[in-house]
């Protein structure tokens, strides 16, 4: 088992791939609100490799997520909900606290949970993802923030992602912010980082109706 990973998150989902939401894609690729350190390369979705995460969809259990990702059994649980938060006086999103556990080399019985042909009665949903990521290092002493390379190791920071999704042949995309660790000092830092990134997004208003976690979203689109 890896060390549990705690995060504070807000996420929005949209129908159609990112190419159908040019304002969102342009904003993600061009916004540069933080001073950059190192390469801090901003990747584009055409260069992003595809992977498939297989989720278990548990009706009426939107506070827990179970998935199989590249040989790992991952469990993610919601530990806090801050409700709908307004960012920059305009965008609205559901802010939640989550903890994730990842397990490798689990018994074969765990892998079979995600096998749609096993006859176990569980609902499994493969989700094809192409994700691009931007990362910000947050300084808890000075309150400063710097964008670093997406692959950089950061003890305290925030990630800003744009993801193309495909479920049962239908295209979707998602915009999300994730800050870590989710401790008492992250509340203000998370809000400031999200608002700073969102400030250049002039042509789109992110709405509470499209803001939710992966478990909630999967329940809705597979109902």
């Amino acid at each position: 088992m890896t060390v549990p990973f705690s995060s504070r998150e807000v996420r929005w989902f949209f129908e159609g791939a990112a190419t159908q939401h040019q304002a969102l894609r342009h904003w993600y690729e061009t916004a540069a609100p933080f001073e950059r350190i190192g390469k801090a390369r901003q990747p584009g979705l055409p260069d992003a490799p595809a992977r498939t995460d297989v989720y278990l969809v548990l009706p009426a259990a939107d506070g827990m997520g179970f998935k199989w990702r590249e040989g790992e059994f991952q469990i993610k649980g919601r530990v806090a909900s801050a409700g709908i938060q307004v960012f920059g006086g305009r965008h609205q999103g559901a802010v939640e606290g989550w903890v994730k556990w990842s397990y490798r080399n689990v018994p074969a019985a765990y892998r079979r949970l995600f096998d749609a042909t096993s006859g176990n009665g569980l609902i499994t949903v493969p989700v094809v993802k192409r994700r691009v990521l931007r990362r910000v290092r947050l300084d808890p002493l000075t309150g400063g923030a710097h964008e670093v390379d997406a692959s950089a190791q950061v003890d305290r920071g925030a990630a800003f992602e744009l993801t193309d999704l495909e479920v049962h042949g239908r295209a979707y995309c998602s915009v999300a912010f994730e800050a870590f660790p989710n401790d008492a000092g992250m509340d203000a830092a998370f809000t400031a980082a999200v608002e700073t990134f969102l400030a250049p997004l002039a042509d789109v208003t992110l709405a509470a109706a499209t803001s939710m976690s992966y478990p909630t979203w999967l329940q809705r689109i597979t109902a």
Side-chain angles (χ1 to χ4, degrees), residues 3-4 11 15 19 22 37 42 78 88 110 115 125 134 149-150 153 170 186 212-213:
V3 175
R11 179 180 297 275
E15 292 194 9
T19 53
Q22 286 298 333
I37 297 177
Q42 299 174 26
R78 185 174 60 217
Y110 288 84
D115 184 354
V125 180
R134 297 174 63 179
D149 187 72
Q153 294 296 316
R170 295 191 61 179
M186 185 53 76
M212 65 199 80
S213 65

Side-chain angles (χ1 to χ4, degrees), residues 20-58:
Q20 298 173 253
H21 300 274
Q22 286 298 333
L24 281 177
R25 185 173 174 180
H26 177 75
W27 159 66
Y28 177 87
E29 293 179 349
T30 62
F34 297 106
E35 180 183 353
R36 300 179 192 171
I37 297 177
K39 294 184 294 182
R41 186 177 69 89
Q42 299 174 26
L45 275 173
D47 301 323
R51 73 163 189 257
T52 299
D53 294 348
V54 183
Y55 288 80
L56 295 182
V57 178
L58 305 179

